[in-house]
Amino acid sequence: MSERETIDKVKDKQGIFSKIQNFFTLGYGTKEDLRELDKKLRDLYYIDLRDMRHTWEDLYLAAMDAGKAQSRDYKRIVQVLDRVTEKVRHADYGYAGLYDRKGHIQENELAHVFNFDKEFSSDLDALKAAVDKTQTEIDAENWDVVSAEVKTVKTLLLSFEDKWTEREKQFRPLEL
């Protein structure tokens, strides 16, 4: 979806108060709605990642109890999940101070970041599926398959983190 389509969709959903606010504040209401939509989306990602971390803790403990957690990948995944979860939770969402030297973010940039963040949904679904598959294999005590699944989860998680790091560049490109 293009930025213009996102902005138009947000404007279609606005009530009369937001339209009045947009008229008097030159579109501030739309920017505020885009920020809030993005914040809600990231809150949902945060909840998913937090739940995955709890699931992974249980998997790690089950593997330790079975004596199969010799790989450092189990603990590394917990560490990366903690780091990524906090990055998602505290990510910038377009507010700027009154004298912000980087410049104020505009409607199109906010829509671009929202669209960028929406693309993480499929990555998160793939990560959840990999964690669920690992849990299924651990529950079935298929320890030969589990180490490959752990590596898959680690790869997907590190890829997710790399893409999330790119978000800052999307949000505030380095331009003069």
Side-chain angles (χ1 to χ4, degrees), residues 36-45 114 117-118:
E36 287 304 314
L37 275 174
D38 193 49
K39 175 78 174 127
K40 285 180 182 176
L41 182 65
R42 286 182 299 106
D43 286 346
L44 292 173
Y45 291 165
F114 177 71
D117 286 353
K118 278 180 25 181

Side-chain angles (χ1 to χ4, degrees), residues 29-175:
T30 302
K31 289 196 290 188
E32 188 68 25
D33 289 344
L34 285 166
R35 286 184 189 108
E36 287 304 314
L37 275 174
D38 193 49
K39 175 78 174 127
K40 285 180 182 176
L41 182 65
R42 286 182 299 106
D43 286 346
L44 292 173
Y45 291 165
Y46 167 76
I47 290 168
D48 286 344
L49 287 165
R50 187 192 61 199
D51 292 346
M52 259 189 271
R53 190 207 191 277
H54 292 305
T55 301
W56 195 259
E57 282 177 347
D58 292 340
L59 297 178
Y60 184 31
L61 290 174
M64 284 178 55
D65 289 345
K68 302 291 184 181
Q70 289 92 10
S71 170
R72 298 177 61 138
D73 289 341
Y74 287 96
K75 189 169 185 170
R76 175 99 171 111
I77 288 171
V78 170
Q79 292 169 336
V80 175
L81 267 172
D82 286 343
R83 190 172 59 229
V84 168
T85 301
E86 290 308 312
K87 282 181 180 178
V88 168
R89 184 177 188 192
H90 297 292
D92 193 5
Y93 62 107
Y95 283 102
L98 183 60
Y99 298 109
D100 185 13
R101 296 182 68 160
K102 293 179 181 177
H104 291 280
I105 194 159
Q106 301 299 319
E107 228 175 54
N108 283 338
E109 287 92 7
L110 287 171
H112 178 70
V113 170
F114 177 71
N115 289 341
F116 186 81
D117 286 353
K118 278 180 25 181
E119 293 175 10
F120 284 99
S121 176
S122 60
D123 296 333
L124 210 51
D125 288 342
L127 189 58
K128 275 196 287 190
V131 169
D132 289 344
K133 187 170 182 191
T134 305
Q135 184 171 24
T136 302
E137 297 299 337
I138 285 178
D139 290 344
E141 299 184 1
N142 291 334
W143 298 109
D144 296 334
V145 179
V146 169
S147 67
E149 293 303 322
V150 170
K151 290 190 186 313
T152 300
V153 169
K154 181 181 164 189
T155 302
L156 289 171
L157 186 59
L158 291 173
S159 172
F160 184 89
E161 184 181 29
D162 288 344
K163 285 175 75 176
W164 193 264
T165 302
E166 288 294 315
R167 184 182 186 274
E168 181 72 21
K169 293 176 188 168
Q170 297 288 323
F171 210 100
R172 296 233 185 222
L174 185 61
E175 295 175 359

Side-chain angles (χ1 to χ4, degrees), residues 1-9 108 111-112 115 118:
M1 183 181 290
S2 74
E3 287 81 27
R4 190 74 247 160
E5 290 172 329
T6 300
I7 292 168
D8 289 343
K9 197 170 185 177
N108 283 338
H112 178 70
N115 289 341
K118 278 180 25 181

